[in-house]
Amino acid sequence: MSKIIDGKSFAAELRADVAKRVAALKERDGIVPGLAVVLVGEDPASQVYVRNKGKQTVEVGMQSFEHKLPDTTSQETLIDLIDQLNVDESVHGILVQLPLPKQIDEKAVINRINPDKDVDGFHLDNVGRLSIGDNGIVPCTPLGCIMMIKDQLGDLSGKHAVVVGRSNIVGKPVANLLLQENCTVVITHSRTKNLQEECLRADILVAAVGRPEMIKGDWVKPGATVIDVGINRIDAGDGKTRLVGDVDFASAEAVAGKITPVPGGVGPMTIACLLHNTLQQACRINDLSVPD
Ligand code: GUN
């Protein structure tokens, strides 16, 4: 039987650690980290994410600033708001919820954020820093993945890691992080030949492809660590829907050494890492060490 990696409790531990340090920062330096979240439009899934972010931000003792703008917002209005948040000293992290409505150029907005406040790690400065192994801000979901993998396996040197998916948000940054940990990294995608064979070589298999239950048990090397980043809502057949990952959990669990479930695996780590990044930046912007 494989060991199921409990992302929910790992994320709760990380949030408790952040909360302790936030209290210490307030006590030592009188600074309360602040996170601004910008939501444009009324996409139901985005509304749920934004609500959860706001709630968890307050729970760890940080200030939460929510900016909800109508679907018809112009790029100019959004850029003006970013400019204001960039110079607001009570704001240490800015997150613009994606996707944005089609009249807005996503890249222009993201790259307008002060890179020191870009707690999503999507600004070109931070992407570049990650690619050269420099000390920038790491995107939240990849950071959550690497924290869980290191927690489970310790030293990753020499391990063979296979990443399925090449998105800018997960696949590429997670591959860079694994490379920094001295793994041998293979990035695979929809045009990869013999994908099953590639996956079968993995000591660490990261699935971030957005295809429900694509990776089956006979794609997994016995004893491998499987990290499932997918969140797919599928028809459960009884008029209801259910959440599944990119990995076929039932068959993969029988083969893997360690595996993340969906839900309750990588998902909860994303917001915990966002809070971690916000605390780090509140300290960095003020030239302070992160409290113990
Ligand atoms: N929409 C879905 N995931 C994310 C994320 O990690 N960051 C932002 N800004 N928007 C998202």
Side-chain angles (χ1 to χ4, degrees):
M1 275 296 276
S2 65
K3 176 167 179 246
I4 295 172
I5 304 171
D6 184 353
K8 203 171 158 189
S9 67
F10 193 45
E13 278 172 33
L14 180 57
R15 288 197 307 272
D17 181 75
V18 169
K20 195 185 74 187
R21 292 173 204 265
V22 166
L25 181 67
K26 191 172 175 185
E27 172 84 19
R28 189 189 69 186
D29 305 293
I31 289 168
V32 179
L35 173 63
V37 175
V38 181
L39 173 63
V40 185
E42 293 182 356
D43 177 64
S46 293
Q47 284 178 325
V48 173
Y49 286 136
V50 168
R51 201 163 46 240
N52 285 336
K53 281 170 194 160
K55 185 167 162 275
Q56 294 186 29
T57 303
V58 171
E59 278 169 8
V60 297
M62 295 184 184
Q63 273 195 288
S64 169
F65 306 97
E66 277 183 22
H67 295 267
K68 294 187 175 164
L69 305 177
D71 194 38
T72 51
T73 300
S74 70
Q75 174 149 336
E76 194 189 359
T77 303
L78 183 54
I79 294 274
D80 281 348
L81 173 60
I82 302 291
D83 287 347
Q84 280 171 39
L85 297 172
N86 279 341
V87 295
D88 184 337
E89 289 188 0
S90 59
V91 172
H92 307 98
I94 302 169
L95 181 145
V96 178
Q97 185 67 32
L98 303 177
L100 288 168
K102 56 185 178 316
Q103 75 274 16
I104 297 176
D105 176 353
E106 225 161 72
K107 284 186 190 164
V109 171
I110 297 298
N111 290 318
R112 188 76 172 206
I113 298 172
N114 174 350
D116 282 334
K117 295 190 178 186
D118 166 43
V119 284
D120 251 334
F122 293 167
H123 189 289
L124 284 176
D125 274 22
N126 287 312
V127 175
R129 282 173 189 272
L130 179 59
S131 78
I132 62 167
D134 209 352
N135 198 13
I137 305 175
V138 175
C140 304
T141 301
L143 181 59
C145 291
I146 214 81
M147 280 184 183
M148 288 202 287
I149 297 168
K150 284 174 76 174
D151 180 62
Q152 292 294 324
L153 300 181
D155 181 15
L156 307 183
S157 273
K159 296 208 180 291
H160 192 91
V162 175
V163 179
V164 187
R166 56 175 157 178
S167 72
N168 292 331
I169 293 183
V170 183
K172 285 176 195 159
V174 97
N176 267 320
L177 290 168
L178 289 161
L179 199 54
Q180 277 178 26
E181 297 297 328
N182 302 312
C183 291
T184 302
V185 183
V186 175
I187 305 176
T188 66
H189 47 79
S190 55
R191 307 278 176 90
T192 297
K193 296 206 169 84
N194 304 323
L195 185 54
Q196 179 178 4
E197 262 172 51
E198 295 291 346
C199 290
L200 272 166
R201 291 196 193 101
D203 301 313
I204 300 167
L205 182 60
V206 180
V209 70
R211 294 224 195 156
E213 299 178 321
M214 186 181 90
I215 293 166
K216 312 287 181 198
D218 59 2
W219 294 36
V220 176
K221 180 161 99 173
T225 298
V226 178
I227 305 294
D228 189 353
V229 187
I231 301 179
N232 310 287
R233 193 166 280 286
I234 62 163
D235 189 348
D238 53 1
K240 294 188 182 137
T241 60
R242 65 187 177 98
L243 280 185
V244 298
D246 293 347
V247 176
D248 177 29
F249 187 82
S251 63
E253 193 213 359
V255 187
K258 300 163 190 288
I259 185 167
T260 60
V262 175
V266 175
M269 289 298 289
T270 299
I271 298 180
C273 287
L274 176 69
L275 302 174
H276 165 89
N277 280 351
T278 304
L279 169 63
Q280 297 284 319
Q281 292 315 112
C283 295
R284 192 171 298 177
I285 288 166
N286 289 290
D287 243 338
L288 296 166
S289 64
V290 180
D292 291 334

